[in-house]
Amino acid sequence: MTNLSSVAPASVGSNLSNAIRALAMDGVQKANSGHPGAPMGMAEIAEVLWNRHLRHNPANPKWADRDRFVLSNGHGSMLIYALLHLTGYDLSIDDLKNFRQLHSKTPGHPEYGYTAGVETTTGPLGQGITNAVGMAMAEKLLAAEFNRPGHEIVDHRTYVFLGDGCLMEGISHEACSLAGTWGLGKLTAFWDDNGISIDGHVEGWFTDNTPERFHAYGWQVIRNVDGHNPAAVDAAIREAKGDPRPTLICCKTVIGMGAPNKQGTHDVHGAPLGDAEIAAARAHIGWSHGPFEIPQEVYAGWDAKKKGAELESGWQRKFAAYAQAFPAEGAEFKRRMANELPANWAEHARKAVEAVNAKAETVATRKASQIAINALAPALPEFLGGSADLTGSNLTNWSGCKHVSGKSTGNYISYGVREFGMAAIMNGMALHGGVLPFGGTFLMFSEYARNALRMAALMKQRVIFVFTHDSIGLGEDGPTHQPVEQTATLRMIPNMDVWRPCDTVETMVAWTSAVEKFTGPTSLCLSRQNLPFVPRDAAALANIAKGGYVISEAKNGKPKAVIIATGSEVDLALKAQAAMEAEIPVRVVSMPCTNAFDRQDAAYRESVLPKGVPRVAIEAGVSDGWHKYVGAADGGQGAVIGLNRYGESAPAGALFKEFGFTVANLVKTVEQFI
């Protein structure tokens, strides 16, 4: 730990850093909303990092070996927008004038996919630093996998700006603890230590000894850096680069620096400064230019296009030499970073489905998931699995996987009891590229990870969340561990596919569908208890990927009723069908993924759920989501057998009987419509 407070403080800003202040003031004022304080307070830190250290190319924001920059305190979004504009990214001054307006490239918080150069969506505090941990972890693992002596094609750093809010959020503890354990020496975080949050001075609610906290995690801590002194900031960054540990640079700053009457107060945190204060600030920092006016000499001082092109071309030469020396590895690295499936993927996936269908095993779907992982892993070296301290229960490991630790690299991570951290770290890994992350916990504890699941969906990232112990079927652990509403609410997340398979075959299809989904994450909801294998004809097998299909047709004529079921309840549906077979022809529809089914065309959906035929849906969870499939919307009538209360502690069989998940109750419910 080093104290750099002896470096003499600088005056208020150079023209380069003051350009950030001016754009932040002007953008927030024009929008009449936003957060000018953080951009103004971190202007010198940003200028030093971006102009002296950050390896990036504005002409190619997706260059594989670029440094990653994350603005974890995303409310200060005008900071990153100013940086992207000034250094030469595809972000015009008109885009900055359009800050926080409909369809702009400059939304209120940085949004991945909206703005070239934004590496992740930030705003929910603590998740940006956690994404950055995932990015740094992906860099470390890919470097270990692909680099060869004299050929270091993966060699970049991850930089994060964060504030007190990120540090107060519990997820930062989860992620930063792991970063220290993993020895992520290429991760550098800048703490904007300004002592202010929305409610005012933080000493009333945040008195942690943050430097000692990070020291305890195993980070290098550089204390008391004057965040307005470029020489001090530069020295701290250089020191960070020389240490094998992740580094926290504690930057003492004044929020809203340059606004003479409001700096250092919460008034500048989340509101426009007002015309009078902006005029006073311009005079105070010596900025004589009008709103959104940047002199050419300032643009020239910021322009990173030439330097960025040289950096990338140097790497391209390095990669060409690597690919010549190691052609197979070079081709694999390009495929992985392009987020492409292997050339033999379709054939491999087809054979995997055929193999489990032929084997016809009766196992829990959590075990079926492990069977699927084992089958698919040889074709997917990008698999990066893990669990939040439940590997033996989630069964997310596989034959030949290698555990990651602070001393070794591999492809399987024990995250410890850190569900939220795990999910957001996986988001960061996916955003980095080159790996396909999946991680497990109990479905009940998806609640801990919920906002990171939402962020994965919001950013349309290919992350696979493995949730086992999916219902009251987990038994004696009781209602604290028994999911009731979780599967239904996961289905409500836009861009998220939720699969609740009934056997080994559906589980394999769920996994292959998750691997093939490039428009968002997937949640797999899997049973603790064994579920019987279901024989299918070729048509049914082909239709599983559509999310809902006829798993067993009515035996005696046209169906007079349709039973819709998922997961463990499919077996009940098939047994009820058999019990009614002599008198009532019933079709059984398995619907392992309502999201995929809803994407099918109307003709297919009606072929599975014919209009005018009564329907009964059964699932061991809340019933509300099923009414759209059984109700009057399609001109029919029906009912839902669900669980609209919490469970109890008892063996699984007793619970299913207690709550009406029995063949007799299902038959009785169907018969009332006939």
Side-chain angles (χ1 to χ4, degrees):
M1 294 182 291
T2 302
N3 189 320
L4 297 179
S5 61
S6 59
V7 180
S11 59
V12 182
S14 68
N15 275 341
L16 297 185
S17 57
N18 283 336
I20 295 174
R21 291 189 171 94
L23 289 172
M25 292 189 295
D26 294 341
V28 172
Q29 187 66 27
K30 187 173 186 299
N32 198 31
S33 72
H35 299 75
M40 296 176 73
M42 300 192 80
E44 281 78 27
I45 306 169
E47 190 274 320
V48 171
L49 175 62
W50 278 63
N51 269 335
R52 305 187 198 182
H53 296 276
L54 193 72
R55 297 171 66 255
H56 65 116
N57 182 8
N60 183 11
K62 294 296 185 182
W63 165 34
D65 204 39
R66 69 193 181 278
D67 289 342
R68 271 61 169 180
F69 173 77
V70 174
L71 185 70
S72 190
N73 45 346
H75 53 271
S77 56
M78 273 303 299
L79 175 59
I80 194 169
Y81 298 148
L83 290 165
L84 294 171
H85 169 72
L86 291 167
T87 54
Y89 285 77
D90 182 21
L91 196 68
S92 70
I93 198 69
D94 287 334
D95 291 323
L96 269 63
K97 292 177 182 178
N98 209 25
F99 179 52
R100 288 185 164 230
Q101 304 310 300
L102 185 64
H103 303 313
S104 75
K105 291 183 180 179
T106 50
H109 291 81
E111 301 281 357
Y112 179 81
Y114 284 59
T115 317
V118 169
E119 299 282 4
T120 180
T121 298
T122 54
L125 293 176
Q127 289 198 62
I129 175 63
T130 309
N131 294 161
V133 170
M135 293 173 186
M137 186 60 165
E139 191 276 344
K140 181 176 182 176
L141 297 179
L142 289 169
E145 181 178 357
F146 285 100
N147 287 352
R148 299 292 184 271
H151 295 275
E152 294 189 345
I153 61 166
V154 182
D155 184 17
H156 54 268
R157 306 186 70 85
T158 302
Y159 296 100
V160 194
F161 284 4
L162 54 82
D164 291 333
C166 291
L167 295 174
M168 283 186 263
E169 289 286 358
I171 190 175
S172 71
H173 296 259
E174 298 181 26
C176 295
S177 169
L178 278 171
T181 299
W182 290 338
L184 299 181
K186 291 182 180 176
L187 173 65
T188 302
F190 299 79
W191 172 29
D192 183 24
D193 181 13
N194 59 39
I196 295 291
S197 67
I198 291 175
D199 277 0
H201 292 272
V202 300
E203 61 261 24
W205 49 88
F206 184 54
T207 57
D208 298 12
N209 189 331
T210 296
E212 286 302 310
R213 168 186 156 190
F214 276 77
H215 176 62
Y217 291 154
W219 288 51
Q220 174 185 212
V221 179
I222 304 176
R223 301 170 182 250
N224 298 322
V225 175
D226 180 354
H228 303 299
N229 185 325
V233 174
D234 182 64
I237 297 172
R238 293 181 188 279
E239 185 167 351
K241 290 180 177 180
D243 198 285
R245 298 167 293 177
T247 298
L248 178 71
I249 302 177
C250 304
C251 299
K252 288 289 185 180
T253 63
V254 177
I255 191 170
M257 182 67 166
N261 303 303
K262 293 188 176 183
Q263 65 183 24
T265 73
H266 70 281
D267 294 332
V268 76
H269 183 283
L273 297 182
D275 292 333
E277 184 68 2
I278 289 176
R282 277 182 152 78
H284 185 63
I285 66 177
W287 187 264
S288 59
H289 314 287
F292 298 102
E293 182 183 331
I294 306 295
Q296 284 306 310
E297 62 268 21
V298 173
Y299 276 127
W302 273 106
D303 192 352
K305 295 191 289 293
K306 182 174 183 295
K307 179 182 176 183
E310 291 172 351
L311 286 168
E312 184 179 357
S313 64
W315 180 83
Q316 292 288 359
R317 289 191 296 272
K318 184 187 295 187
F319 182 77
Y322 174 88
Q324 185 173 9
F326 308 100
E329 291 84 352
E332 177 67 7
F333 181 79
K334 288 180 68 175
R335 176 189 76 79
R336 299 258 293 269
M337 293 308 294
N339 210 23
E340 295 174 350
L341 289 168
N344 66 339
W345 165 253
E347 179 69 7
H348 189 95
R350 181 184 63 78
K351 289 181 177 179
V353 174
E354 290 176 350
V356 295
N357 189 51
K359 201 165 185 180
E361 290 181 282
T362 290
V363 295
T365 52
R366 61 172 174 157
K367 180 61 179 178
S369 172
Q370 188 177 50
I371 291 168
I373 296 169
N374 268 291
L376 301 179
L380 294 168
E382 57 263 51
F383 260 0
L384 181 54
S387 172
D389 204 46
L390 288 168
T391 295
S393 294
N394 299 150
L395 304 180
T396 39
N397 57 342
W398 67 97
S399 175
C401 69
K402 182 181 177 183
H403 273 75
V404 175
S405 71
K407 297 180 180 179
S408 64
T409 60
N411 54 7
Y412 190 85
I413 297 173
S414 290
Y415 288 92
V417 187
R418 299 180 178 95
E419 297 88 355
F420 193 5
M422 175 181 70
I425 286 170
M426 290 197 297
N427 290 348
M429 292 171 172
L431 287 159
H432 178 280
V435 296
L436 174 50
F438 62 89
T441 186
F442 291 168
L443 177 57
M444 187 64 250
F445 303 136
S446 66
E447 297 293 351
Y448 283 132
R450 175 65 59 139
N451 200 258
L453 306 185
R454 183 179 188 271
M455 296 303 291
L458 183 66
M459 295 187 285
K460 300 180 180 178
Q461 290 304 295
R462 189 169 61 135
V463 182
I464 302 173
F465 301 103
V466 180
F467 297 126
T468 67
H469 297 59
D470 69 337
S471 73
I472 55 172
L474 69 87
E476 292 86 347
D477 277 341
T480 61
H481 283 53
Q482 291 167 1
V484 174
E485 73 275 25
Q486 283 65 40
T487 301
T489 56
L490 286 172
R491 288 175 179 137
M492 296 170 67
I493 300 175
N495 303 327
M496 174 78 77
D497 276 5
V498 180
W499 288 82
R500 187 169 182 251
C502 75
D503 68 354
T504 54
V505 176
E506 285 191 358
T507 305
M508 183 67 78
V509 173
W511 264 101
T512 60
S513 297
V515 169
E516 293 169 2
K517 187 171 190 282
F518 290 91
T519 56
T522 299
S523 290
L524 306 177
C525 301
L526 307 167
S527 74
R528 177 196 186 194
Q529 73 275 29
N530 287 348
L531 303 183
F533 171 80
V534 181
R536 299 167 178 80
D537 60 24
L541 195 65
N543 285 331
I544 296 173
K546 294 178 180 179
Y549 66 103
V550 179
I551 193 169
S552 180
E553 187 54 279
K555 303 300 187 292
N556 298 311
K558 294 178 64 176
K560 293 185 178 180
V562 175
I563 301 174
I564 310 167
T566 76
S568 50
E569 289 69 70
V570 170
D571 180 53
L572 286 176
L574 293 170
K575 288 175 178 175
Q577 179 194 44
M580 293 182 283
E581 182 175 297
E583 298 179 3
I584 305 173
V586 173
R587 170 185 289 183
V588 176
V589 169
S590 178
M591 197 176 290
C593 184
T594 61
N595 312 96
F597 182 74
D598 289 347
R599 288 195 296 269
Q600 307 306 312
D601 61 41
Y604 177 77
R605 285 185 278 115
E606 187 172 345
S607 74
V608 175
L609 301 176
K611 290 183 178 180
V613 179
R615 307 167 192 169
V616 174
I618 181 169
E619 185 176 59
V622 293
S623 61
D624 283 4
W626 290 104
H627 289 288
K628 70 176 182 178
Y629 300 106
V630 304
D634 289 332
Q637 54 182 330
V640 179
I641 299 175
L643 185 63
N644 295 308
R645 52 152 291 180
Y646 296 119
E648 298 286 347
S649 177
L655 291 171
F656 278 114
K657 183 177 181 180
E658 170 71 13
F659 293 118
F661 294 96
T662 63
V663 172
N665 188 44
L666 181 52
V667 169
K668 178 182 176 182
T669 304
V670 171
E671 287 178 341
Q672 69 179 315
F673 295 106
I674 306 302

